[in-house]
């Protein structure tokens, strides 16, 4: 197998936005009288905005009408936007730009595959919007990870066969989505958690073109 495209999840792979999601969800949970801690927040990684709200409501055994759910999801997003609006390029995770540039220089296409509807805003704030050949995000997909839709969309936008794509993901749901898309997947985080990945590194600062080539050889 020869990699023709690398598809990067955004939150937790290129930027660390989990802390901002947590602060905004925590504020909402408090308003709803629901206890919510950092451990609960782990369950929201890679999960869409509405599905995240459902998890929080379930934790507090709170039931709401569809209209109220939409109201609270919008409220949370407003608070979250206050944080991400202030993001600067120094919030890019270590090694991310270097690795993306390394693969680009090797002629490999690069895309974003993220559940977030805030993807364009975040990319703009950290100054990397123009680095990518394609951006597939929460604004153009209807099915959440582990459904492969977002990664298949990215491959289609790049005009690349899914079997020639490698995904970089920090969430279990995202790794399953990559597998469901028939793509190789490199986990970003702990190998104990990301068991389904083809290979795991702690961050893109541990990645290199050489490691990617080694994985290709191992697979074929
Ligand atoms: C994912 C995050 O990338 O995007 C989730 O890991 C988040 O935590 C999801 O809920 C949707 O994000 P947004 O920005 O559309 O609310
Ligand atoms: Mg992620």
């Amino acid at each position: 197998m020869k990699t023709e495209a690398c598809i990067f999840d955004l939150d937790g792979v290129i930027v660390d936005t989990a802390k901002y999601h947590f602060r905004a969800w925590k504020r909402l949970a408090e308003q709803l009288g629901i206890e919510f801690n950092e451990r609960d927040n782990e369950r929201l990684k890679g999960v869409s905005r509405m599905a995240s709200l459902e998890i929080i409501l379930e934790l507090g055994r709170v039931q709401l009408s569809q209209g109220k759910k939409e109201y609270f999801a919008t409220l949370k997003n407003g608070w979250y936007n206050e944080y991400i609006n202030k993001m600067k390029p120094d919030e890019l995770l270590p090694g991310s730009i270097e690795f993306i540039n390394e693969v680009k220089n090797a002629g490999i296409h690069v895309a974003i595959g993220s559940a977030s509807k805030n993807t364009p805003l975040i990319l703009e704030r950290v100054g990397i919007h123009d680095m990518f050949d394609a951006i597939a995000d929460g604004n153009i997909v209807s099915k959440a990870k582990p459904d492969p839709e977002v990664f298949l969309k990215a491959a289609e936008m790049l005009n690349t066969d899914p079997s020639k794509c490698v995904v970089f993901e920090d969430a279990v749901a995202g790794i399953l989505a990559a597998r469901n898309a028939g793509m190789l997947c490199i986990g970003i985080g702990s190998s104990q958690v990301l068991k389904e990945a083809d290979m795991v590194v702690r961050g893109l600062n541990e990645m290199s073109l050489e490691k990617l080539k080694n994985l290709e050889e191992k697979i074929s």
Side-chain angles (χ1 to χ4, degrees), residues 46-183:
V47 175
S48 72
R49 193 180 306 165
M50 264 304 170
S52 300
L53 176 62
E54 296 285 359
I55 292 173
I56 292 171
L57 294 177
E58 188 197 297
L59 283 169
R61 293 174 211 273
V62 172
Q63 286 189 349
L64 294 177
S65 66
Q66 193 52 33
K68 275 268 160 67
K69 283 180 191 168
E70 268 151 36
Y71 166 77
F72 284 120
T74 305
L75 188 63
K76 178 267 172 181
N77 192 52
W79 294 330
Y80 177 62
N81 276 15
E82 283 174 22
Y83 294 117
I84 57 176
N85 259 316
K86 291 187 203 130
M87 284 180 86
K88 298 254 155 51
D90 64 3
E91 288 188 63
L92 283 162
L93 284 169
S96 48
I97 294 301
E98 290 80 355
F99 179 65
I100 295 168
N101 275 327
E102 193 183 358
V103 293
K104 272 171 76 110
N105 290 337
I108 295 170
H109 296 304
V110 293
I112 290 285
S114 167
S116 173
K117 293 187 171 165
N118 291 299
T119 295
L121 176 62
I122 296 170
L123 291 177
E124 206 63 63
R125 285 288 173 265
V126 297
I128 57 167
H129 199 274
D130 297 336
M131 273 191 102
F132 299 93
D133 302 302
I135 293 169
D137 65 17
N139 299 296
I140 63 162
V141 298
S142 54
K143 295 180 218 123
K145 298 170 185 175
D147 190 281
E149 186 184 13
V150 72
F151 295 137
L152 291 174
K153 271 263 159 60
E156 191 187 311
M157 289 162 99
L158 294 171
N159 209 4
T160 304
D161 193 89
S163 65
K164 307 274 188 217
C165 297
V166 178
V167 169
F168 294 82
E169 249 296 348
D170 71 312
V172 175
I175 286 168
L176 297 176
R179 295 204 81 97
N180 290 336
M183 299 176 181

